[in-house]
Amino acid sequence: MSASRTKFYLDKQNAKWSGVCSGLADYTGIDVTWVRVGAIVLTIMGGFPWTLIAYFVAAWLADPKPRGLYESAEDAKFWQGVRANPSRSTREVRSRFRDIDRRLSDIEVYYTSSNSRLAREIDALRDPAK
Amino acid sequence: MEDILVPIAVVGMLFIGLPWVILYHITKWRTASSLTREDEDLLDALNDTARRLEERLMTVERIIAADHPDFTPHRGASQPDAAPLSRSY
């Protein structure tokens, strides 16, 4: 709860150099290899000084990723989705709650109907005693 | 005439069109991901609650299904079919 999960971090655990490419991969959810290949291709294809400058600026500005930022891989994936499209993630969470609500109401209906049957049986047993 | 027009068009595209496109996408991206710290914490809490509720509900459904064979839990598309108790959801 302490560190923001929508910030860009340097991923030092999977770093090759400073962790910018792996951080970018972690941020977007794209595979690290593709990010690195893309960065190298961009550098060769005429972005020569600028990509390096951007790399060092990013390495200088961004903080390293705090340990234990995500509890699980699922959690990391969820936050990647949030960074890409927060409203879609919010709708997904809402639909999960609706699913829970629907399933709970199924249980409720099942129990109330079976309990009313039970209540009728108890009443039927009680009636002759009166 | 074309010797003058083509470089002007190219320079215009490079120095006006390209930054325009980049800035347009940056602003769009900024507005799309304007999630404040409170929103983030709230979303995290909601996601966590949903996950735990789903786990509990799954347990409850399994218990009910074991007690009452005529109760069939209405499974969503996201859940794989009936698994034993050791399920990593």
Side-chain angles (χ1 to χ4, degrees), chain A residues 1-14 19 23 26-27 62-72 75-76 83, chain B residues 37 40:
Chain A
M1 219 24 109
S2 52
S4 171
R5 266 148 300 194
T6 49
K7 259 173 74 181
F8 174 71
Y9 290 113
L10 303 176
D11 191 358
K12 294 284 186 192
Q13 273 99 47
N14 304 309
D26 183 52
Y27 187 89
D63 302 319
K65 188 168 121 182
R67 269 176 191 278
L69 186 62
Y70 307 116
E71 284 154 28
S72 60
D75 208 26
R83 287 186 294 252
Chain B
R37 201 49 221 274
E40 195 190 317

Side-chain angles (χ1 to χ4, degrees), chain A residues 87-104:
Chain A
S87 49
R88 194 185 57 202
S89 299
T90 315
R91 282 198 299 273
E92 275 170 16
V93 171
R94 187 183 63 187
S95 76
R96 285 171 74 185
F97 273 109
R98 283 189 177 160
D99 186 54
I100 290 166
D101 178 55
R102 192 178 47 74
R103 283 157 67 191
L104 262 181

Side-chain angles (χ1 to χ4, degrees), chain B residues 58-71:
Chain B
M58 204 108 67
T59 315
V60 168
E61 277 177 348
R62 251 179 291 141
I63 290 167
I64 294 170
D67 284 349
H68 309 269
D70 58 325
F71 176 77

Side-chain angles (χ1 to χ4, degrees), chain B residues 30-80:
Chain B
R30 280 252 164 238
T31 50
S33 62
S34 56
L35 202 65
T36 63
R37 201 49 221 274
E38 291 82 44
D39 292 344
E40 195 190 317
D41 287 346
L42 183 65
L43 192 55
D44 184 43
L46 282 175
N47 184 41
D48 207 42
T49 313
R51 193 173 45 76
R52 267 180 291 144
L53 277 176
E54 272 172 355
E55 279 167 8
R56 292 216 173 111
L57 192 54
M58 204 108 67
T59 315
V60 168
E61 277 177 348
R62 251 179 291 141
I63 290 167
I64 294 170
D67 284 349
H68 309 269
D70 58 325
F71 176 77
T72 47
H74 208 81
R75 294 195 182 278
S78 59
Q79 295 134 27

Side-chain angles (χ1 to χ4, degrees), chain A residues 15-74:
Chain A
K16 275 270 182 284
W17 203 3
S18 289
V20 174
C21 285
S22 49
L24 209 60
D26 183 52
Y27 187 89
T28 55
I30 304 167
D31 195 82
V32 200
T33 320
W34 290 116
V35 178
R36 287 196 177 119
V37 166
I40 290 164
V41 164
L42 212 66
T43 311
I44 293 167
M45 300 287 270
F48 167 61
W50 302 110
T51 46
L52 279 179
I53 288 167
Y55 189 94
F56 285 117
V57 166
W60 179 57
L61 283 178
D63 302 319
K65 188 168 121 182
R67 269 176 191 278
L69 186 62
Y70 307 116
E71 284 154 28
S72 60
E74 220 172 281

Side-chain angles (χ1 to χ4, degrees), chain B residues 12-26:
Chain B
M13 263 156 66
L14 266 182
F15 286 90
I16 297 163
L18 206 64
W20 191 2
V21 168
I22 290 167
L23 283 175
Y24 170 75
H25 279 285
I26 285 173

